[in-house]
Amino acid sequence: NSGSEQNEESIVKEFQKKYGNIVYIKTEREGLYSAWNRAVKVASGQYLTNANTDDRHRKDALEIMANTLLGNPDAALVYGDQIITDTTNPTFENHHAVEIAKRAEFSKERLLFGCCVGSQPMWRKSLHDEFGGFDETLVCAADWDFWLKAAQKHNFKHIQESLGLYYRNENGIEHGRKIQSLYER
């Protein structure tokens, strides 16, 4: 929780009562990738993913992605298709889709022209031992920057299923800072 004012803490505390493995870290407001790097350092699992507060995963998305990584030891990262919505806080089961983002099959060349991975991948934590953290000088494209580094040596795998909802937030980090986003790309 990087200085959020939306009361996620009470939600997390409820889940912590049920699941003892949840680590909750509360900080002053910091950049997205500073928060991600902090989480990478304390994570104990072999796989990592991000869960943006305005996006949603399908109930079995993490299981599908983890099993795909288990079954494909040559893949360092997996990603699925996404349903794009313009509605805040829907559920995967009850949403208003405005578009289906069918992600491109992975190739190193394709990744150069856009972040085909999307915003809800799962990757091996070991990539951070090899390539370090996310570039904290970037505001909205440090994940893509990291995937580009990792793709130089590793393969990624596309899962051809919609595994999450992506809220196209015109005031969010990606769309609300168009000049910054173009500059970083």
Side-chain angles (χ1 to χ4, degrees), residues 170-184:
E170 294 303 323
N171 297 314
I173 291 173
E174 181 182 8
H175 299 288
R177 300 176 180 176
K178 300 227 184 269
I179 300 298
Q180 181 75 32
S181 182
L182 285 170
Y183 172 76
E184 290 183 13

Side-chain angles (χ1 to χ4, degrees), residues 33-167:
Y33 298 111
S34 297
W36 282 18
N37 283 335
R38 182 185 309 279
V40 167
K41 289 176 185 167
V42 300
S44 60
Q46 63 180 340
Y47 305 137
L48 302 175
T49 190
N50 61 301
N52 299 319
T53 58
D54 56 0
D55 295 339
R56 300 291 178 265
H57 285 91
R58 197 170 88 184
K59 287 182 180 183
D60 59 352
L62 301 181
E63 180 181 3
I64 288 169
M65 290 190 287
N67 284 336
T68 302
L69 282 169
L70 276 170
N72 293 274
D74 62 318
L77 178 147
V78 296
Y79 61 99
D81 297 331
Q82 291 177 295
I83 298 169
I84 299 174
T85 182
D86 59 2
T87 308
T88 57
N89 299 319
T91 63
F92 190 87
E93 296 75 24
N94 185 18
H95 62 270
H96 174 259
V98 294
E99 185 181 340
I100 304 296
K102 295 263 186 206
R103 300 290 175 195
E105 291 303 313
F106 172 74
S107 75
K108 293 172 174 50
E109 296 77 18
R110 172 59 188 87
L111 191 60
L112 288 171
F113 294 100
C115 190
C116 61
V117 168
S119 64
Q120 297 172 324
M122 181 178 282
W123 64 97
R124 297 182 191 279
K125 185 180 180 194
S126 59
L127 289 177
H128 293 281
D129 296 331
E130 195 171 351
F131 300 103
F134 296 100
D135 183 343
E136 295 178 19
T137 66
L138 299 174
V139 175
C140 53
D143 47 348
W144 184 18
D145 173 71
F146 189 83
W147 311 146
L148 286 165
K149 292 173 189 172
Q152 291 179 50
K153 295 174 82 174
H154 299 282
N155 288 316
F156 300 172
K157 183 162 183 58
H158 174 219
I159 301 167
Q160 296 182 10
E161 295 181 56
S162 291
L163 297 178
L165 295 179
Y166 171 78
Y167 171 51

